[in-house]
Amino acid sequence: IQAPWSGGFGFNVSWKGIGLTADFSWVSGNYMLNNNLYFLANPGMVIGGYGQVVQALDYWKQPGDNTRFPALWHEIQFDSNILEDASFLRLKNIQLSYTLPRHLLKNNRVISGFKVYVGARNLFTVTDYNGLDPEVASGDIASDVDYMPNSRQWTFGCEFKF
């Protein structure tokens, strides 16, 4: 299943040797089964040794209650209670760099350029999805079954030009 709207945007700015590059990706209108809620908000799973999430407290207690989950004695199923909006905006890549001015290297016959940088991947995600990662899905039905979330990564480095 593909989200109806998706895209990305970015920018690259520099000033006096300082550079900043950022790339974002976004998805809108995507819905996914939160497989973790099936286990962590299901009263029947407490016996199996699974912990419970705060969302599990929103269960039916008395007539007239408008809740997310049925009464505690009813096990939830794979239904719309665990279907969530998985739309998101994610900062995919960002890099901050400094390039040494050429005039400082003009007397050097070996190195013609030098840049130092720090970067990050998947630094933050804005979403209402309660699962591990709104960007993962498996099979024909969008679900976060057995997938690890995108990892956050940091990079540091320097670049020499000869």
Side-chain angles (χ1 to χ4, degrees):
I1 294 178
Q2 289 222 265
W5 300 284
S6 64
F9 60 93
F11 63 85
N12 185 356
V13 295
S14 61
W15 177 73
K16 294 190 177 186
I18 299 171
L20 178 65
T21 302
D23 298 312
F24 294 84
S25 65
W26 61 272
V27 170
S28 182
N30 190 34
Y31 286 85
M32 190 160 48
L33 286 174
N34 186 340
N35 187 59
N36 295 317
L37 275 184
Y38 175 76
F39 294 99
L40 300 176
N42 204 335
M45 295 296 171
V46 174
I47 297 168
Y50 293 96
Q52 296 289 283
V53 292
V54 174
Q55 291 95 326
L57 296 174
D58 188 17
Y59 65 91
W60 184 88
K61 297 171 189 83
Q62 61 188 8
D65 283 351
N66 185 10
T67 63
R68 182 170 185 177
F69 299 109
L72 281 179
W73 55 87
H74 291 285
E75 197 169 313
I76 65 171
Q77 301 299 318
F78 285 100
D79 60 18
S80 62
N81 286 317
I82 61 173
L83 184 67
E84 295 186 4
D85 183 356
S87 301
F88 67 89
L89 170 67
R90 173 170 280 160
L91 176 58
K92 290 297 281 183
N93 296 297
I94 188 164
Q95 185 180 78
L96 180 63
S97 64
Y98 177 71
T99 303
L100 207 59
R102 286 189 182 265
H103 73 273
L104 293 178
L105 297 170
K106 69 180 177 182
N107 294 334
N108 187 328
R109 295 183 181 178
V110 178
I111 300 171
S112 63
F114 176 76
K115 177 171 85 169
V116 62
Y117 61 89
V118 60
R121 283 184 51 83
N122 302 316
L123 198 55
F124 73 85
T125 304
V126 177
T127 185
D128 287 332
Y129 183 67
N130 288 310
L132 295 174
D133 190 345
E135 197 171 9
V136 299
S138 65
D140 294 333
I141 298 175
S143 173
D144 62 357
V145 176
D146 297 332
Y147 277 84
M148 295 302 294
N150 285 297
S151 62
R152 183 173 294 143
Q153 302 167 8
W154 292 91
T155 56
F156 306 92
C158 54
E159 181 181 301
F160 295 92
K161 290 184 181 177
F162 299 98

